[in-house]
């Protein structure tokens, strides 16, 4: 086949998969089919609705155990989880944090909340995550090691951390990136807000490095709003927990606090929802995998458009199914999809093109910009995949 897909080819392929789902077909809807109502109701019945309660402790245990991490600290949202993790590592004023430009704006905002500077680096086309080869070449050009620290020769600031993102649930090249972090003595932590349930080399994301998750309403499971940090580092965990729970010294009645800290605690109501959603996660993952397979088949014979497969050696949670297009005007395609009540979305505007991040340090971002012109996300709700499980 030589001609490229037309918008109507793409619309027909999507319609074949979503079939008679009610219109509009949203991008991603939450799915509650288990103990959600029962657990939330029990909080209301017994009065434990706020920042202390049995579901908070249980959600932390269940999440750590699911991910294969020693510890999990749950918080009010994913942005605060990233902020708290950076802040607890001591990253702040005078530091730069390497993050992709091709990510949701919260990744960069959390870096700024910590007082540090987001430094944008290039993406690669198999995972949409950070390109380790481009990153290594770039660091050798712009950075130097001084007293064991990586210093940006152009800004004079310390490059303190490397924080890749698993875009749409597809794990990025973690091993190669971690290797770079070791070489340059950078903290390594994963923005895994989109990747709960994804695996790398057979291990769940969140099991090997400090990772941050989000349970916003559009993520694979939701607590209404919520986030978490998983880690295997006990000291880091204790400090993180302390700093995100008002630095209160445990005591039955006294208000002893030993530093200026945050109130980032997840309420018990939200944790109750989280416990029930986590019970459902294995089934949700099956539905999303089946949905992605149906989309892949539907696009198999359409030239110039394909579903992005999970990178080899990984499994994706297929949070959002990603269509790679070539040579299409995405604005007009998205308009036609919305006219058909198929509420597809483009990928985010690369962060270095947003006004508040336009003058931040960055590498060459040609691949990022090309990807931003090629990608749309297809309706990916669990409900759409269930008929295919
Ligand atoms: C959702 C998301 C966040 C932030 O999570 P919230 O819970 O919405 O604060 C951060 N980074 C990425 C890549 C996300 O997709």
């Amino acid at each position: 086949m030589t001609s490229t897909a037309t918008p109507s080819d793409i619309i027909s392929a999507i319609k074949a998969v979503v079939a008679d789902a009610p219109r509009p077909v949203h991008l991603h809807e939450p799915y509650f089919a288990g103990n959600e109502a029962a657990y939330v109701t029990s909080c209301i019945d017994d009065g434990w609705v706020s920042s202390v309660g049995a579901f908070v402790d249980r959600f932390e245990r269940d999440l750590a155990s699911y991910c294969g991490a020693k510890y999990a600290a749950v918080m009010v949202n994913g942005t605060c989880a990233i902020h708290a993790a950076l802040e607890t590592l001591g990253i702040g004023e005078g530091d730069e944090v390497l993050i992709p430009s091709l990510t949701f704006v919260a990744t960069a905002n959390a870096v700024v909340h910590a007082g540090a500077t987001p430094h944008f680096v290039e993406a690669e086309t198999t995972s949409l995550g950070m390109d380790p080869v481009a990153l290594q070449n770039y660091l050798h050009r712009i950075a130097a090691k001084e007293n064991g620290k990586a210093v940006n020769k152009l800004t004079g600031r310390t490059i303190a951390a490397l924080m890749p993102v698993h875009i749409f649930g597809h794990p990025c090249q973690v091993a190669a990136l971690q290797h770079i972090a070791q070489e340059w003595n950078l903290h390594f932590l994963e923005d895994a807000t989109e990747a709960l349930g994804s695996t790398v080399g057979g291990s769940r994301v969140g099991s090997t490095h400090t990772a941050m998750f989000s349970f916003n309403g559009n993520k694979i499971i939701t607590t209404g709003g919520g986030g978490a940090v998983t880690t295997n580092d006990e000291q880091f965990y204790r400090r993180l927990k302390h700093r995100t729970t008002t630095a209160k010294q445990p005591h039955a009645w006294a208000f002893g606090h030993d530093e200026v800290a945050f109130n980032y605690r997840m309420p018990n109501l939200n944790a109750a929802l989280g416990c029930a959603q986590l019970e459902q996660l294995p089934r949700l993952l099956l539905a999303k995998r089946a949905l992605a397979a149906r989309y892949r088949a539907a696009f198999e014979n359409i030239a110039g458009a394909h579903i992005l497969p999970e990178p080899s050696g990984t499994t994706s949670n297929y949070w959002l199914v990603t269509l790679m297009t070539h040579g299409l005007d995405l604005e007009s395609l998205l308009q036609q999809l919305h006219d058909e009540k198929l509420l597809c979305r483009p990928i985010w505007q690369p962060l270095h093109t947003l006004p508040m991040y336009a003058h931040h340090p960055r590498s060459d971002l040609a691949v990022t910009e090309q990807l931003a012109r090629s990608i749309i996300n297809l309706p990916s709700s669990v409900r759409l995949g269930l008929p295919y499980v």
Side-chain angles (χ1 to χ4, degrees):
M1 238 176 282
T2 50
S3 62
T4 55
T6 64
S8 68
D9 295 333
I10 290 175
I11 289 166
S12 308
I14 296 172
K15 281 184 172 170
V17 175
V18 305
D20 55 1
R23 301 314 195 244
V25 186
H26 292 281
L27 184 71
H28 198 285
E29 289 180 310
Y31 182 71
F32 304 121
N35 289 318
E36 287 85 353
Y39 291 175
V40 169
T41 302
S42 82
C43 297
I44 294 168
D45 288 346
D46 63 23
W48 291 99
V49 295
S50 195
S51 45
V52 177
F55 281 116
V56 175
D57 300 336
R58 174 171 158 191
F59 190 37
E60 291 190 332
R61 277 197 311 273
D62 290 355
L63 185 67
S65 146
Y66 178 81
C67 288
K70 284 204 182 116
Y71 309 99
V74 296
M75 290 174 212
V76 282
N77 61 50
T79 310
C80 289
I82 301 171
H83 171 216
L86 291 169
E87 205 267 344
T88 301
L89 289 170
I91 292 162
E93 196 75 40
D95 291 332
E96 294 181 0
V97 178
L98 299 166
I99 63 169
S101 173
L102 201 66
T103 179
F104 181 53
V105 70
T107 313
N109 290 346
V111 173
V112 175
H113 295 328
T117 302
H119 183 154
F120 301 113
V121 297
E122 184 65 303
E124 50 87 12
T125 57
T126 58
S127 72
L128 311 181
M130 267 185 197
D131 182 337
V133 176
L135 177 63
Q136 184 65 295
N137 291 336
Y138 177 62
L139 287 176
H140 278 290
R141 261 193 299 121
I142 64 113
K145 263 216 194 149
E146 290 174 19
N147 304 321
K149 285 182 173 177
V151 174
N152 181 338
K153 292 187 279 184
L154 307 174
T155 64
R157 287 186 289 248
T158 302
I159 302 176
L162 176 61
M163 183 164 64
V165 184
H166 304 300
I167 305 292
F168 305 140
H170 279 24
C172 67
Q173 297 185 31
V174 180
L177 290 167
Q178 193 203 4
H179 192 78
I180 294 172
Q182 265 161 0
E183 177 181 334
W184 289 92
N185 204 13
L186 312 174
H187 289 290
F188 186 74
L189 62 178
E190 301 170 45
D191 178 339
T193 45
E194 305 180 355
L196 181 68
S198 300
T199 68
V200 179
S203 303
R204 291 229 168 93
V205 168
S207 64
T208 41
H209 314 106
T210 295
M212 290 72 69
F213 293 93
S214 166
F215 312 111
N216 190 35
N218 65 347
K219 295 299 204 289
I220 188 160
I221 65 166
T222 185
T223 58
V229 180
T230 62
T231 185
N232 295 321
D233 180 338
E234 182 180 355
Q235 232 182 332
F236 169 76
Y237 165 73
R238 294 202 181 287
R239 178 124 189 87
L240 176 75
K241 202 62 194 163
H242 192 61
R243 295 203 43 76
T244 52
T245 57
T246 70
K248 186 176 182 305
Q249 293 170 321
H251 192 283
W253 58 82
F255 287 104
H257 303 265
D258 55 15
E259 57 184 318
V260 179
F262 303 98
N263 174 15
Y264 278 0
R265 294 174 297 191
M266 174 185 280
N268 202 46
L269 263 182
N270 303 75
L273 199 53
C275 288
Q277 285 268 276
L278 205 53
E279 291 170 355
Q280 297 293 310
L281 182 56
R283 184 155 163 266
L284 308 195
L285 287 167
L286 288 179
K288 293 177 83 62
R289 174 160 292 271
L291 180 65
R294 290 299 289 221
Y295 275 126
R296 186 170 310 115
F299 279 93
E300 212 141 59
N301 295 316
I302 295 179
H306 71 277
I307 301 298
L308 188 71
E310 60 201 353
S312 66
T314 76
T315 57
S316 176
N317 67 5
Y318 282 105
W319 171 52
L320 293 182
V321 178
T322 302
L323 184 71
M324 311 294 292
T325 69
H326 304 281
L328 281 175
D329 172 2
L330 289 194
E331 272 309 295
S332 133
L333 172 61
L334 286 163
Q335 184 61 58
Q336 292 178 63
L337 286 162
H338 279 240
D339 290 345
E340 295 282 342
K341 304 268 187 288
L342 303 169
L343 306 188
C344 299
R345 297 281 298 268
I347 198 169
W348 316 281
Q349 274 189 54
L351 300 188
H352 70 281
T353 68
L354 299 178
M356 64 286 193
Y357 293 125
H359 302 293
H360 277 55
R362 64 182 186 91
S363 70
D364 180 47
L365 295 168
V367 175
T368 294
E369 290 179 0
Q370 180 54 42
L371 284 169
R373 288 191 294 269
S374 318
I375 291 169
I376 65 168
N377 289 122
L378 306 184
S380 301
S381 298
V382 164
R383 193 179 296 280
L384 298 171
L386 284 174
Y388 305 125
V389 173

